[in-house]
Amino acid sequence: MEIEKKCGCGSNAGEGEAVTPGFICGWHETGGRKIPRVSSKLDFNDIAGTLKVRLALGRNDYKVEPGLYCIGSPASDSPVLVTANYKLTFDILRKETAGLSAWILALDTKGVNVWCAAGKGTFGTEELIRKINEVNLSKIIDHKKIILPQLGAVGVAAHMVKNATGFNVLYGPVRAADIKKYIAAGYKKDNEMRRVTFNLRDRLTVIPVEMIMAWRYIAGIAAISGFLNAFSGKFFWNKVIRDIVPSAGGIFAGLAVTPILLPYIPGRAFSVKGFIAGAAWLALSGLKFGFTLREWIANFLIITPLSSFFALNFTGATTFTSQSGTEYEVKKTFNLMKYSLILGVVLKILSKFKK
Amino acid sequence: MKMEYLSEFVKLSLDEKKCTGCMMCVNVCPHGVFEFFDKKAHIKNKKACMECGACQKNCPAAAIESGSGVGCAYAIIRGMINNTAPDCDCSGGGSSCCG
């Protein structure tokens, strides 16, 4: 039996309960229970929410209530898709399952995406077993298959879930966009569905967050430069710009230029790639501003560790760096970057007091 | 374009004697590290391993040993400073890994 709301899935209060989130567009009744039905359409709020997250405005606490949902009109033989309760993830899933009839089980991952949550263990064996029992899944469906995103395998041991609940974990495709194809093919995936990519588009998606995070560093540089130049008489703004632009550019070289050109910059270590991008920026800005010898040295000591550091930081956003490799890189370069930066800043400050 | 990281440090080993041929590792690996022939899994492309740990976690025969952790410099540096294990908690901001 269906209880459909004649609504455009805006915000609507449902069945005398508290306000229902806008993505719930009705209720599906099964065995005396009412399961919220989600819309496969993303509305203005969803898109605005995604943008906010991608631009690092209120990234935390972007989640949906964990538990059982459905899309379309699933029956007891319909597939079960397990996901995280990060709303960005949840939205992608419901958009990509438009036209399907399926159950959606959102684990409580504290509003973190599947892969990261699996790494932390919140998208994990225990939570999956707990949710299967909590929602009484075996009363909803009469088969024993549940589909997990492949990257959830980092946190879930399929054989342990089978032992504890009797359910067979099938690892589906990496990307939600392949789910329909995967189901249509009889729960089979090809190698392409199995592979994680990190193409230009993937990289561009994560850069804005990095850039917005970096503004505070640039603001810090501006504040220090403003303070140091405040007592130096004439040409205040010229001097401040001459301080800020090279260092801010160094940060930018590390966190945006290096990621964008990642496959084309020589070296495998991110710190090396960042160093190269920073050195290129040093040359550019030096020629543009006409650095003195002292400025070349100070800026080299400041720009290259900044670009190197921010490039290294980008390892966290990639899909192919190992912890062993990253750890090696950090241990080798961190102190070098630190001392280079300190020395550069000291040189800069000293040069303010010399004519 | 396929990018290779500092692969010489990758921790990954497979005890082929223990392998039961369930193919789970082939199935969960996001970088195509394993290959299946002669009824057993084999490591084909260790260089591509990012130590996500999915293969070890899902090997019912416990035949795989893999590093597992975050390849995130921010987490590692924070771990160094706070003297803890690298922890991928991005809630303080600083990286977009959890987006």
Side-chain angles (χ1 to χ4, degrees), chain A residues 284-303:
Chain A
L284 267 178
S285 57
L287 295 174
K288 176 92 181 85
F289 284 100
F291 285 166
T292 62
L293 178 62
R294 196 183 289 153
E295 280 176 317
W296 276 107
I297 296 170
N299 278 317
F300 172 79
L301 292 172
I302 291 171
I303 290 176

Side-chain angles (χ1 to χ4, degrees), chain A residues 85-152:
Chain A
N85 79 325
Y86 184 33
K87 185 156 184 295
L88 197 74
T89 307
F90 192 79
D91 282 358
I92 293 170
L93 180 64
R94 60 195 176 87
K95 178 170 153 263
E96 295 295 348
T97 47
L100 279 183
S101 281
W103 305 100
I104 296 176
L105 181 60
L107 302 189
D108 187 1
T109 61
K110 320 284 177 210
V112 169
N113 72 67
V114 171
W115 208 5
C116 286
K120 289 174 210 268
T122 46
F123 191 103
T125 310
E126 277 173 42
E127 166 65 5
L128 179 56
I129 294 170
R130 191 161 47 231
K131 277 288 170 300
I132 287 173
N133 293 330
E134 244 173 58
V135 306
N136 237 327
L137 194 61
S138 53
K139 293 271 168 25
I140 300 263
I141 54 172
D142 56 18
H143 61 84
K144 285 288 173 195
K145 288 199 280 277
I146 51 175
I147 304 171
L148 268 66
Q150 185 192 306
L151 296 180

Side-chain angles (χ1 to χ4, degrees), chain A residues 31-342:
Chain A
R33 289 167 64 184
K34 280 195 288 185
I35 311 294
R37 173 181 294 123
V38 298
S39 165
S40 61
K41 290 206 175 64
L42 302 192
D43 66 13
F44 177 78
N45 286 331
D46 301 323
I47 294 163
T50 299
L51 265 177
K52 267 172 76 178
V53 169
R54 289 296 188 204
L55 295 174
L57 311 159
R59 285 163 58 67
N60 302 318
D61 221 34
Y62 193 55
K63 45 183 146 174
V64 301
E65 192 64 33
L68 190 64
Y69 297 84
C70 71
I71 189 146
S73 298
S76 59
D77 60 349
S78 298
V80 180
L81 307 171
V82 181
T83 189
N85 79 325
Y86 184 33
K87 185 156 184 295
L88 197 74
T89 307
F90 192 79
D91 282 358
I92 293 170
L93 180 64
R94 60 195 176 87
K95 178 170 153 263
E96 295 295 348
T97 47
L100 279 183
S101 281
W103 305 100
I104 296 176
L105 181 60
L107 302 189
D108 187 1
T109 61
K110 320 284 177 210
V112 169
N113 72 67
V114 171
W115 208 5
C116 286
K120 289 174 210 268
T122 46
F123 191 103
T125 310
E126 277 173 42
E127 166 65 5
L128 179 56
I129 294 170
R130 191 161 47 231
K131 277 288 170 300
I132 287 173
N133 293 330
E134 244 173 58
V135 306
N136 237 327
L137 194 61
S138 53
K139 293 271 168 25
I140 300 263
I141 54 172
D142 56 18
H143 61 84
K144 285 288 173 195
K145 288 199 280 277
I146 51 175
I147 304 171
L148 268 66
Q150 185 192 306
L151 296 180
V154 170
V156 173
H159 52 282
M160 291 168 80
V161 176
K162 166 90 177 165
N163 281 346
T165 65
F167 281 96
N168 293 308
V169 169
L170 305 182
Y171 290 113
V174 166
R175 283 165 292 271
D178 290 326
I179 285 177
K180 281 197 225 168
K181 231 192 319 176
Y182 169 79
I183 292 177
Y187 305 109
K188 292 218 163 50
K189 56 182 175 177
D190 53 29
N191 280 340
E192 204 184 314
M193 292 189 200
R194 205 172 265 143
R195 298 284 181 272
V196 158
T197 58
F198 201 52
N199 54 33
L200 181 62
R201 199 188 150 165
D202 298 326
R203 303 200 295 277
L204 287 176
T205 310
V206 289
I207 289 172
V209 168
E210 305 279 340
M211 288 183 52
I212 285 159
M213 296 290 185
W215 276 112
R216 52 187 167 172
Y217 299 106
I218 294 171
I221 295 169
I224 294 168
S225 167
F227 177 75
L228 287 171
N229 288 309
F231 312 104
S232 66
K234 284 185 290 185
F235 307 119
F236 174 76
W237 286 110
N238 281 353
K239 288 174 183 163
V240 170
I241 285 169
R242 220 180 158 87
D243 285 340
I244 297 175
V245 173
S247 359
I251 293 175
F252 188 74
L255 63 77
V257 178
T258 305
I260 290 170
L261 300 178
L262 201 60
Y264 311 105
I265 301 177
R268 288 177 301 148
F270 278 54
S271 49
V272 172
K273 287 175 185 279
F275 179 89
I276 292 171
W281 169 247
L282 171 75
L284 267 178
S285 57
L287 295 174
K288 176 92 181 85
F289 284 100
F291 285 166
T292 62
L293 178 62
R294 196 183 289 153
E295 280 176 317
W296 276 107
I297 296 170
N299 278 317
F300 172 79
L301 292 172
I302 291 171
I303 290 176
T304 54
L306 283 179
S307 60
S308 204
F309 174 79
F310 281 94
L312 184 52
N313 230 0
F314 194 69
T315 49
T318 69
T319 57
F320 64 99
T321 54
S322 63
Q323 179 162 327
S324 302
T326 314
E327 215 156 42
Y328 176 82
E329 232 191 298
V330 167
K331 298 224 157 105
K332 279 277 174 198
T333 60
F334 189 68
N335 281 335
L336 200 60
M337 295 190 293
K338 195 168 74 184
Y339 294 128
S340 171
L341 187 63
I342 292 171

